[in-house]
């Protein structure tokens, strides 16, 4: 003979209330933990407040900048940048940096990748690379713009580096952030081209956005 247990609607309602109470407790506990964790991360970030890397142009030498056809450019530039981490407690991973030269808004060399590196607290690194271009298409006005610069007595180039970095605090490493660096190189350019390279050794600061 089997026994059949019959619960009243009142008992079922009580069990439903208990389940709802447990779910609410778990939800509030998880919310409190998540909020505390976010607040802690934000507090650490505000205390440390990592400053963006600082770049300056040490030297730029143009060895070639000539048209091989009406609108095809050959270029060769040697570039040295100084990169500095101004932070006392934050390290920087440079996962990727692509460097190129531009003139009047036109890219005049192909991208030149720099090897990844880590920059410790308040460390500085010299970054040297060769920028080249062979048969790069340029605007028909390129030769005219260079002629105007010769008349003005100076040639102005933009030397740019784009890539991704990560911040390191203790053992914690952030996600990747995009970095864009823009350096201005001003070179004396007379009515006749010099036999040696055009050089810029200003040591001027570059603009950096992260």
């Amino acid at each position: 003979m089997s026994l059949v247990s019959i619960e009243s609607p009142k008992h079922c309602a009580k069990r439903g209330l208990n389940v709802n109470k447990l779910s609410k407790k778990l939800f509030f506990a998880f919310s409190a933990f998540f909020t505390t964790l976010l607040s802690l991360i934000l507090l650490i970030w505000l205390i440390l407040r990592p400053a963006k890397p600082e770049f300056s142009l040490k030297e730029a030498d143009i060895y070639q900048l000539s048209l091989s056809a009406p609108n095809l450019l050959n270029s060769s530039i040697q570039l040295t940048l100084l990169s500095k981490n101004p932070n006392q407690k934050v390290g920087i991973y440079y996962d990727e940096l692509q460097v190129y030269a531009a003139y009047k808004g036109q890219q005049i060399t192909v991208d030149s990748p720099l090897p990844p590196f880590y920059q410790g607290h308040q460390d500085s690194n010299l970054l040297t690379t060769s920028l080249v271009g062979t048969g790069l298409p340029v605007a028909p006005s390129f030769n005219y713009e260079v002629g105007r610069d010769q008349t003005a007595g100076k040639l102005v180039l933009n030397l740019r580096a784009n890539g991704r970095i990560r911040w390191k605090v203790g053992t914690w490493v952030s996600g990747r952030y995009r970095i864009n660096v823009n350096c201005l190189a001003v070179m004396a350019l007379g009515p006749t081209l010099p036999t040696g390279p055009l050089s810029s050794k200003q040591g001027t600061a570059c603009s950096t956005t992260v």
Side-chain angles (χ1 to χ4, degrees):
M1 183 176 179
S2 61
L3 295 176
V4 177
S5 176
I6 300 176
E7 294 183 348
S8 67
K10 187 181 291 185
H11 290 148
C12 292
K14 284 184 178 180
R15 180 176 295 176
L17 286 173
N18 289 336
V19 172
N20 287 337
K21 283 183 179 179
L22 180 61
S23 298
K24 286 182 179 179
K25 285 182 179 179
L26 289 174
F27 173 75
F28 284 124
F30 178 76
S31 298
F33 172 76
F34 190 67
T35 303
T36 303
L37 183 61
L38 284 179
S39 299
L40 183 61
I41 293 174
L42 179 61
L43 181 62
I44 293 173
W45 188 260
L46 288 174
I47 291 173
L48 296 173
R49 301 192 87 174
K52 60 188 178 184
E54 297 172 355
F55 284 80
S56 59
L57 175 64
K58 299 302 291 181
E59 186 173 357
D61 299 312
I62 300 179
Y63 289 90
Q64 185 181 15
L65 195 66
S66 60
L67 294 172
S68 58
N71 298 321
L72 297 179
L73 178 70
N74 297 322
S75 57
S76 176
I77 301 171
Q78 188 72 21
L79 172 65
T80 301
L81 297 175
L82 177 66
S83 168
K84 181 182 178 182
N85 175 10
N87 298 287
Q88 294 183 357
K89 298 180 180 179
V90 182
I92 304 173
Y93 284 105
Y94 291 84
D95 293 331
E96 177 189 343
L97 273 182
Q98 299 281 346
V99 186
Y100 67 93
Y103 175 74
K104 305 290 186 183
Q106 303 177 77
Q107 187 167 338
I108 60 171
T109 68
V110 297
D111 292 347
S112 178
L114 293 175
F117 65 97
Y118 173 74
Q119 196 168 55
H121 311 156
Q122 296 187 311
D123 279 354
S124 297
N125 296 82
L126 279 176
L127 310 175
T128 301
T129 186
S130 295
L131 308 176
V132 296
T134 303
L136 293 180
V138 292
S141 61
F142 182 86
N143 215 22
Y144 169 73
E145 295 291 349
V146 173
R148 287 185 60 186
D149 282 349
Q150 274 188 297
T151 303
K154 63 181 180 180
L155 183 73
V156 181
L157 292 184
N158 289 97
L159 302 163
R160 297 179 177 175
N162 301 323
R164 296 185 182 275
I165 62 171
R166 290 176 294 156
W167 308 105
K168 182 178 183 294
V169 182
T171 57
W172 177 80
V173 179
S174 74
R176 289 185 171 187
Y177 290 82
R178 178 164 289 279
I179 181 172
N180 299 293
V181 181
N182 183 22
C183 306
L184 205 63
V186 181
M187 305 174 180
L189 180 61
T192 58
L193 292 177
T195 55
L198 291 175
S199 296
S200 173
K201 300 180 181 179
Q202 301 157 287
T204 53
C206 307
S207 63
T208 306
T209 57
V210 177

